[in-house]
């Protein structure tokens, strides 16, 4: 297997570098700024965590609906790139407009729109992987995408962090500092995506026919009905629903959780920056390991590690605890996401990748509706953020058991 990456593979990897800047902002600075706006409006820490969780749930619920529909449509010849570009435009424009929000409710609405654009773009981006590389390189290229996404996103983040933390010294308000940060991230996101937009061509597709919209829905319905007979795909998706639910919930709510516990803001941001740095080499390591060990076994190791992380989070109370948590998340976050993406790409027909990845998104980001909602509800009911995050323990355990059954079932 060749070791050098092609120009197209590099362009595809760069989109992970671009969108990850927005992801890192969402995981770090945005929840803290939302806390600043909500505290100014008199919201309690429990309500703040709950509303943030509900916003994440709304996003995932909407994307769970539009993902498979537009993913199926994107499988039509020459449709994937334009639909991807529309999603990119919605996400990056929403990112820009976040700086104009002055109340917590307006900020939350704009955030939901931006996150929908970002999440939708990933459906089409993930489905491009079968077009940009060969089957024997799927694990490696997917892992490199996450790896460079983690480390590349740190570049705009460092500038944003310096502006936000040094706002007083620069003589600007927090609102102005945040506005500048949103502009930097949006520009970075679009800028590094240009090589992919320029070079990507849809290789696997369904031919354009009259009544293509109606036929796209027909293909989706046919696939969903037939999936009950495709055990290797169905069993994986059920398992994925649960274990990735916990992963995305931790990503979406890490900073909000730490803030709700009253931990130092600067320490939280630096710890999450450390997560990105740790995730870079470990994502590459998992890509290398995938050539020596079965991908399924590596995914199970990652799920088990996340189960341990959820147990640890139940007892977290200090800044040191959060740092330990951040490092362990970084070790396994890239591996579980990258290998799940490439593992699924191997199971599906390449010409229906948009359709299948749209369905996968229901079980992925769409499933995190369950996790973020449960964390928000338990936090509000108990008034305890630790117990809210603790609800993810059985979610990971169930995901591990189901994935084991999916692997066992696929071998029969």
């Amino acid at each position: 297997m060749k070791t050098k990456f092609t120009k197209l593979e590099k362009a595809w990897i760069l989109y992970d570098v671009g969108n990850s800047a927005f992801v890192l902002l969402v995981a770090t600075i945005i929840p803290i700024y939302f806390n600043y706006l909500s505290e100014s409006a008199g919201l309690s820490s429990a309500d703040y965590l709950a509303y943030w969780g509900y916003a994440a749930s709304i996003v995932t619920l909407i994307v769970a609906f539009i993902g498979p529909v537009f993913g199926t449509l994107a499988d039509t010849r020459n449709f994937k790139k334009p639909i991807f570009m529309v999603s990119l435009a919605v996400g990056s424009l929403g990112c820009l407009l976040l700086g104009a929000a002055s109340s917590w409710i307006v900020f939350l609405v704009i955030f939901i729109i931006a996150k929908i654009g970002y999440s939708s773009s990933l459906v089409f981006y993930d489905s491009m992987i079968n077009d940009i590389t060969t089957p024997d390189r799927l694990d490696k290229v997917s892992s490199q995408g996450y790896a460079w996404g983690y480390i590349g996103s740190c570049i705009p983040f460092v500038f944003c962090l310096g502006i936000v933390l040094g706002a007083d010294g620069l003589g600007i308000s927090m609102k102005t500092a945040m506005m500048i940060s949103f502009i930097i991230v949006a520009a970075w996101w679009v800028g590094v995506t240009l090589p992919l937009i320029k070079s990507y061509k849809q290789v696997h597709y369904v031919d354009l026919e009259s009544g293509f919209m109606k036929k796209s829905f027909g293909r989706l319905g046919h696939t969903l009905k037939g999936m009950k007979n495709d055990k290797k795909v169905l069993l994986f998706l059920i398992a994925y629903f649960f274990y990735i639910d916990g992963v995305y919930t931790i990503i979406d709510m890490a900073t909000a959780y730490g803030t709700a516990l009253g931990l130092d803001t600067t320490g939280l941001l630096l710890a999450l920056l450390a997560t990105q740095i740790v995730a870079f080499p470990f994502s590459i390591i998992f890509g290398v390991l995938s050539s020596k060990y079965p991908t399924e076994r590596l995914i199970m190791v990652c799920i088990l590690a996340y189960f341990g992380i959820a147990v640890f989070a139940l007892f977290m109370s200090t800044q040191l605890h959060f740092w330990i948590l951040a490092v362990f998340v970084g070790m396994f976050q890239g591996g579980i996401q990258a290998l799940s993406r490439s593992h699924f790409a191997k199971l599906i027909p390449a010409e229906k990748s948009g359709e299948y990845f749209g369905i996968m998104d229901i079980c992925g980001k769409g499933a995190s509706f369950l996790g973020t909602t449960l964390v928000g509800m338990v936090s509000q009911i108990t008034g305890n953020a630790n117990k809210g995050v603790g609800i993810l323990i059985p979610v990971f355990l169930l995901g591990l058991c189901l994935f084991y059954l999916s692997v066992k079932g696929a071998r029969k």
Side-chain angles (χ1 to χ4, degrees):
M1 183 174 70
K2 61 182 180 180
T3 57
K4 290 185 178 180
F5 293 97
T6 65
K7 182 179 178 181
L8 185 55
E9 287 173 343
K10 291 176 182 177
W12 184 84
I13 288 169
L14 272 176
Y15 185 67
D16 249 324
V17 176
N19 75 72
S20 293
F22 178 70
V23 175
L24 187 53
L25 202 69
V26 170
T28 55
I29 297 176
I30 287 180
I32 293 171
Y33 185 56
F34 176 62
N35 183 49
Y36 165 78
L37 293 175
S38 62
E39 277 188 347
S40 300
L43 269 66
S44 68
S45 61
D47 284 336
Y48 150 73
L49 185 64
Y51 288 133
W52 186 252
Y54 296 150
S57 298
I58 290 170
V59 170
T60 52
L61 191 62
I62 293 173
V63 175
F65 170 74
I66 67 175
V69 173
F70 284 94
T72 304
L73 186 62
D75 284 330
T76 305
R77 185 174 187 175
N78 296 326
F79 273 41
K80 190 167 290 183
K81 185 194 288 188
I83 296 176
F84 167 73
M85 290 172 64
V86 170
S87 299
L88 170 65
V90 171
S92 56
L93 183 60
C95 182
L96 277 175
L97 293 176
L98 283 171
S102 56
S103 70
W104 70 270
I105 187 66
V106 173
F107 183 88
L108 213 55
V109 170
I110 297 174
F111 168 74
I112 288 171
I113 294 171
K115 192 78 184 293
I116 288 171
Y118 154 76
S119 298
S120 299
S121 75
L122 291 186
V123 174
F124 315 118
Y125 167 67
D126 287 345
S127 69
M128 289 176 182
I129 193 169
N130 281 316
D131 290 331
I132 61 94
T133 193
T134 56
D136 62 312
R137 292 173 59 81
L138 286 171
D139 288 330
K140 184 175 182 180
V141 173
S142 182
S143 297
Q144 288 284 332
Y146 275 105
W148 288 103
Y150 288 130
I151 200 69
S153 64
C154 293
I155 298 172
F157 177 73
V158 168
F159 283 102
C160 295
L161 187 61
I163 292 169
V164 171
L165 297 181
D168 291 338
L170 294 171
I172 59 176
S173 66
M174 172 64 77
K175 180 177 174 59
T176 301
M178 290 302 303
M179 186 178 297
I180 295 172
S181 297
F182 293 134
I183 292 172
I184 290 173
V185 169
W188 175 272
W189 186 0
V190 174
V192 300
T193 306
L194 293 178
L196 179 61
I197 293 174
K198 182 180 178 181
S199 60
Y200 173 74
K201 284 184 175 43
Q202 194 169 347
V203 177
H204 303 285
Y205 52 81
V206 176
D207 285 320
L208 179 63
E209 301 175 292
S210 59
F212 66 88
M213 183 71 77
K214 182 179 179 180
K215 289 181 179 179
S216 293
F217 279 99
R219 290 201 311 271
L220 176 60
H222 182 266
T223 298
L224 290 172
K225 288 179 182 178
M227 198 170 285
K228 62 183 179 181
N229 298 320
D230 192 348
K231 287 187 177 181
K232 64 181 181 180
V233 173
L234 181 60
L235 287 171
F236 169 75
L237 287 175
I238 296 172
Y240 184 76
F241 177 96
F242 287 98
Y243 76 75
I244 210 67
D245 173 22
V247 173
Y248 285 134
T249 300
I250 288 175
I251 292 172
D252 286 340
M253 310 221 31
T255 303
Y257 173 48
T259 303
L261 290 176
L263 303 182
D264 176 63
T265 299
T266 303
L268 291 179
L269 294 177
L270 292 175
L272 289 167
L273 179 59
T275 298
Q276 301 295 110
I277 295 171
V278 171
F280 171 62
F282 274 91
S283 296
I284 295 175
I285 288 170
F286 273 105
V288 173
L289 290 174
S290 67
S291 64
K292 299 179 180 180
Y293 302 97
T295 305
E296 298 92 336
R297 187 183 303 173
L298 295 174
I299 292 174
M300 283 192 281
V301 168
C302 291
I303 300 172
L304 188 59
Y306 262 97
F307 171 78
I309 287 168
V311 172
F312 181 80
L314 185 62
F315 304 98
M316 193 179 83
S317 61
T318 69
Q319 200 81 36
L320 177 60
H321 291 162
F322 193 87
W323 272 86
I324 294 171
L325 188 76
V327 170
F328 275 98
V329 167
M331 289 172 63
F332 298 97
Q333 183 171 288
I336 197 169
Q337 290 178 286
L339 295 179
S340 295
R341 177 167 65 185
S342 56
H343 176 68
F344 187 65
K346 296 172 189 175
L347 299 178
I348 63 174
E351 71 278 4
K352 293 184 178 181
S353 59
E355 177 181 335
Y356 273 89
F357 271 101
I359 296 170
M360 184 184 185
D361 206 64
I362 295 179
C363 303
K365 295 179 183 66
S368 66
F369 169 81
L370 173 66
T372 51
T373 300
L374 284 175
V375 170
M377 289 177 61
V378 174
S379 295
Q380 272 194 312
I381 292 171
T382 64
N384 187 303
N386 290 83
K387 292 180 180 178
V389 176
I391 196 67
L392 298 178
I393 294 173
V395 172
F396 281 119
L397 183 59
L398 186 57
L400 178 63
C401 294
L402 289 170
F403 185 77
Y404 174 75
L405 291 176
S406 75
V407 173
K408 193 174 179 181
R411 289 173 178 168
K412 288 183 178 180

